[in-house]
C-alpha cells in the first residue's frame, strides 16, 4: 500500500472551509484514497473515498489531482465538532483490505 | 455505527492473566478487524477475519489470538496479558461495496498492571 504524508497539525476558524492536504506520490492505479477522522476517545469515522474523480457527500468533498499524487479533503463550513485527527489512507485490494493508519493531521477548529 | 458493539468498554487486569475482548455486529458483514491504538503509533492491525473460522494475522499479532465461530462475533484473546498490551482496542467491519469502507466500534480501553 502506498505511503501518505500529511501535515501534523492545522488550525481553522469556525465557519470557514478546512482544507486538509495529503501527498500520496507512490499511489498505484488500483488504489483508492480514503479519509477517516477520529474525535478524541472515539473510534475512527469514515468520511469519504475516491479513485480519480472528485467526490462529495454530506460530510466533505475530496479533490484528487489529475496525476493522483495528492488530494485535499475539504470541510466546507467547519464547526467546533470537526476538531479531530484526520487520516488520509491509500489502499488497494490486498490482505483483506486492511487500512494502514499514519499519524494523521490534528485539526483544531477555533471559535 | 454499523451496529458494532464492543465489550467490555473498560478493563483493568494484572500481568499474566488471560483476557478476552468481544466484538459484536448485527449486520452480517463478512470482514471484521481488530486494531490497537497507542500514542505515537496510530492504529495498527492485530488480526482480521474474512469469514467464520477464517482469520489471518495483521502487523502486530504476537501475543494475541482470535476466533470467529459465528458471523456476528469476533473475539480477541490475550492468553497471558503483559503491560505492553495496555492499549485501546478497536474492532471494525468492512462494508463490501465499491469503496470497501470500514466502520469502527467504540473501543475497549485495556490496562494491564
Amino acid at each position: 500500500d502506498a505511503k501518505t504524508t500529511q501535515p501534523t497539525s492545522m488550525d481553522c476558524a469556525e465557519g470557514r472551509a478546512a482544507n486538509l492536504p495529503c501527498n500520496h506520490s507512490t499511489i498505484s492505479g488500483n488504489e483508492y484514497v480514503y479519509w477517516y477522522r477520529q474525535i478524541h476517545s472515539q473510534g475512527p469515522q469514515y468520511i469519504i473515498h475516491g479513485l480519480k474523480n472528485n467526490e462529495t457527500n454530506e460530510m466533505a468533498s475530496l479533490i484528487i489531482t489529475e496525476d493522483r499524487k495528492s488530494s485535499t479533503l475539504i470541510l466546507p463550513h467547519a464547526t467546533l465538532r470537526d476538531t479531530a485527527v484526520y487520516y488520509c489512507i491509500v489502499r488497494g485490494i490486498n490482505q483483506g483490505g486492511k487500512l494502514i493508519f499514519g499519524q494523521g493531521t490534528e485539526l483544531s477548529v477555533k471559535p | 455505527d454499523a451496529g458494532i458493539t464492543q465489550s467490555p468498554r473498560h478493563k483493568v487486569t494484572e500481568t499474566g492473566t488471560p483476557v478476552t475482548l468481544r466484538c459484536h455486529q448485527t449486520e452480517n458483514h463478512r470482514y471484521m478487524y481488530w486494531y490497537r491504538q497507542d500514542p505515537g503509533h496510530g492504529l495498527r492491525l492485530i488480526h482480521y477475519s474474512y469469514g467464520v473460522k477464517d482469520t489471518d494475522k495483521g502487523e502486530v499479532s504476537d501475543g494475541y489470538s482470535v476466533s470467529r465461530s459465528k458471523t456476528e462475533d469476533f473475539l480477541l484473546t490475550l492468553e497471558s496479558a503483559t503491560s505492553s498490551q495496555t492499549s485501546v482496542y478497536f474492532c471494525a467491519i468492512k462494508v463490501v461495496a465499491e469503496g470497501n469502507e470500514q466502520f469502527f466500534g467504540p473501543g475497549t480501553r485495556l490496562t494491564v498492571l
Side-chain angles (χ1 to χ4, degrees), chain A residues 32 34 36 38 40-46 49-51 87 91 93-103, chain B residues 9 31 33 35 37 40-43 45 48 57-59 90 94 98-107 109:
Chain A
Y32 285 77
Y34 294 81
Y36 284 76
Q38 188 172 23
H40 182 62
S41 297
Q42 299 181 19
Q45 178 188 23
Y46 165 80
H49 74 277
L51 184 61
Y87 296 97
R91 193 197 73 196
I93 300 175
N94 60 13
Q95 290 189 294
K98 68 176 183 178
L99 296 174
I100 299 176
F101 286 79
Q103 295 304 306
Chain B
R9 294 293 314 280
Y31 291 88
Y33 305 81
Y35 292 86
Q37 185 170 35
H41 285 97
L43 277 93
L45 181 67
Y48 65 98
K57 295 179 179 180
E59 59 183 311
F90 290 102
K94 182 173 76 173
E98 175 264 335
N100 286 332
E101 53 266 33
Q102 292 186 16
F103 294 89
F104 288 77
R109 184 173 295 276

Side-chain angles (χ1 to χ4, degrees), chain A residues 64-77:
Chain A
I64 302 174
T65 58
E66 192 168 342
D67 62 9
R68 304 211 320 127
K69 293 185 177 182
S70 65
S71 60
T72 301
L73 178 76
I74 301 172
L75 308 178
H77 304 287

